[in-house]
């Protein structure tokens, strides 16, 4: 069976959930091989994690000559690895997380391998045939790469990770990085301040605030903390400068698909829906009973969020005891 290369999404060796989603998808297409570009001394830990989701092989590319640079060396390393795997038994597809970095790596790789590229897939089935949700979720497009090795970037939450034991055989791969790939160097980096909340795109619960918050996100944050959720926002809240863009959900923000999405003070514009409409259970709090968001919800509360959210938070906290 041909290999399916999956680029591991990780922060300092901590594997992020989209990797497990990609491995789950990879199993539909061929034999999953995870690619770890990172410190070699973390490889065995990473291999233990990804083999639980079906990785038969774990290619390790030590990043000591890569990590000081932006994405070009990663694309070069992946190219060399894909060419080697291609000559060994074939590569059915290369799956990459749809992050900003992932998409840049994928774009560069597609040129290097002269292969077709599909970005922001929300589903990938045998073929591989991809599904994309475009024009603010108004159209669903199915597509297929017709030339070269299909390179596909997949949005987070596009598959439920399924555990299945793979061999997890570690293979070191030594890439030769050209000077041309080292022309953009990282001069400083600092980790984002930890909020103690789950990462927005991976969270099982998201509580979002919109213009209706009037700029006071405290009730939204308090509810999120009480139920272990992440905080999100509409573009109106972001554009008003109440909360950074990294919290924005929607067409021009992040896509989330949690078990529970609580929209508060958000009208439910099509562009916002595009980023949250696949959530399993949707709850809205809005003082306008005609608000479009109520068309989507499983449970709706017509009321002022500044009254409803503190009451809800208090009740949750009381019951948690
Ligand atoms: P509003 O539409 O103003 O709604 C506020 C809601 O809060 C109202 O329904 C009101 O009844 C309610 N409310 C007011 N006070 C209270 C209160 N005290 N308690 C309870 N409810 C209250 N938007 C996004 O969110 N994400 C995107 O990625 C995005 N991308 C876009 C891309 C393009 C190209 C364009 C043109 C627009 C995009 N937008 C996006 C903007 C989108 O069209 C809406 O303008 C935006 O989502 C509105 O945000 P909102 O619901 O917070 O504000």
């Amino acid at each position: 069976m041909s290999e399916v290369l999956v680029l591991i999404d990780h922060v300092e060796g901590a594997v992020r959930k989209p990797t497990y989603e990609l491995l789950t998808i990879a199993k539909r297409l061929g034999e999953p091989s995870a690619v770890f570009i990172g410190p070699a001394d973390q490889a065995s830990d990473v291999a233990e994690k990804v083999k639980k989701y079906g990785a038969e092989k774990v290619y390790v590319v030590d990043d000591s000559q890569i990590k000081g640079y932006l994405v070009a060396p990663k694309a070069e390393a992946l190219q060399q690895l894909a060419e080697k795997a291609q000559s060994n038994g074939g590569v059915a597809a290369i799956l990459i997380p749809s992050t900003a970095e992932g998409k840049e790596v994928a774009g560069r790789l597609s040129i290097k391998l002269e292969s077709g590229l599909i970005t922001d897939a929300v589903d990938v089935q045998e073929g591989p045939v991809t599904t994309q949700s475009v024009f603010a979720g108004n159209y669903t497009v199915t597509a297929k790469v017709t030339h070269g090795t299909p390179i596909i970037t997949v949005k987070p939450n596009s598959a439920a990770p399924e555990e299945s034991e793979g061999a997890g055989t570690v293979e070191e791969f030594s890439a030769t990085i050209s000077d041309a790939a080292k022309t953009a160097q990282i001069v400083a980096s600092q980790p984002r301040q930890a909020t103690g909340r789950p990462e927005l795109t991976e969270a099982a619960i998201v509580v979002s605030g919109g213009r209706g918050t009037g700029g006071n996100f405290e009730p939204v944050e308090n509810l999120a903390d009480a139920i272990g959720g992440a905080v999100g926002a509409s573009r109106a809240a972001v554009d008003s400068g109440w909360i950074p863009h990294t919290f924005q959900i929607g067409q021009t923000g992040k896509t989330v698909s949690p078990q529970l999405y609580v929209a508060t003070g958000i009208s439910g514009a099509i562009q916002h829906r595009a980023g949250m409409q696949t959530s399993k259970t949707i709850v809205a709090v809005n003082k306008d009973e005609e608000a479009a968001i109520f068309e989507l919800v499983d449970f709706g509360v017509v009321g002022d969020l500044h009254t409803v959210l503190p009451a809800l938070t208090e009740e949750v906290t009381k019951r948690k005891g």
Side-chain angles (χ1 to χ4, degrees):
M1 209 190 300
S2 298
E3 285 182 70
V4 180
L5 302 182
V6 169
L7 182 61
I8 297 179
D9 186 6
H10 70 98
V11 181
E12 303 290 330
V15 179
R16 299 184 65 222
K17 186 172 151 250
T19 305
Y20 304 131
E21 297 166 7
L22 294 191
L23 286 168
T24 302
I25 291 172
K27 271 178 286 177
R28 300 173 194 156
L29 313 176
E31 197 174 279
S33 294
V35 181
F36 177 59
I37 302 181
D41 60 355
Q42 290 170 355
S44 56
D45 274 2
V46 169
E48 280 306 307
K49 289 179 192 147
V50 294
K51 73 186 251 196
K52 292 204 179 85
Y53 290 85
E56 296 295 339
K57 270 191 209 154
V58 183
Y59 291 111
V60 176
V61 182
D62 180 40
D63 71 350
S64 49
Q65 50 159 347
I66 288 179
K67 66 175 183 235
Y69 302 93
L70 294 177
V71 295
K74 284 189 185 167
E76 234 173 54
L78 258 184
Q79 174 204 359
Q80 292 165 22
L81 182 53
E83 282 169 350
K84 183 183 163 222
Q86 192 66 273
S87 62
N88 280 348
V91 176
I94 302 174
L95 304 180
I96 297 176
S98 262
T99 56
E101 178 179 297
K103 283 192 268 191
E104 192 176 340
V105 168
R108 288 171 181 270
L109 186 62
S110 116
I111 291 168
K112 289 176 189 297
L113 293 178
E114 294 185 19
S115 291
L117 163 66
I118 293 173
T119 56
D120 288 339
V122 293
D123 191 20
V124 187
Q125 294 294 340
E126 240 178 288
V129 174
T130 64
T131 306
Q132 290 160 295
S133 178
V134 302
F135 293 129
N138 281 327
Y139 284 85
T140 300
V141 174
T142 48
K144 202 170 177 326
V145 165
T146 56
H147 186 80
T149 307
I151 301 168
I152 302 165
T153 79
V154 184
K155 282 196 164 195
N157 296 311
S158 295
E162 282 165 20
E163 288 195 26
S164 100
E165 199 71 15
T169 313
V170 173
E171 256 188 48
E172 277 170 28
F173 181 79
S174 169
T176 311
I177 306 302
S178 69
D179 287 343
K182 293 183 176 170
T183 48
Q185 196 176 6
I186 297 169
V187 287
S189 70
Q190 50 234 137
R192 197 177 56 200
Q193 267 187 325
T195 60
R197 296 190 186 112
E199 163 66 29
L200 186 52
T201 51
E202 296 172 21
I205 301 176
V206 175
V207 184
S208 283
R211 203 195 305 276
T213 60
N216 177 11
F217 261 71
E218 211 181 309
V220 176
E221 289 170 344
N222 289 346
L223 177 61
D225 290 341
I227 57 180
V231 170
S234 72
R235 177 158 155 184
V238 169
D239 286 352
S240 303
W242 299 337
I243 189 155
H245 179 257
T246 47
F247 290 81
Q248 185 178 314
I249 290 167
Q251 186 187 337
T252 44
K254 292 188 170 144
T255 304
V256 298
S257 192
Q259 295 299 319
L260 172 65
Y261 186 82
V262 187
T264 73
I266 292 177
S267 60
I270 186 83
Q271 296 88 353
H272 186 79
R273 290 172 176 217
M276 47 65 71
Q277 62 197 357
T278 56
S279 305
K280 307 295 169 299
T281 301
I282 300 173
V283 174
V285 180
N286 196 301
K287 67 180 186 186
D288 174 10
E289 64 178 50
E290 303 287 328
I293 192 83
F294 286 129
E295 293 163 14
L296 269 189
V297 299
D298 298 283
F299 187 77
V301 182
V302 179
D304 186 332
L305 71 90
H306 295 104
T307 318
V308 176
L309 298 194
L312 184 54
T313 306
E314 196 187 322
E315 194 57 35
V316 169
T317 313
K318 217 188 314 171
R319 290 196 189 196
K320 282 205 305 195

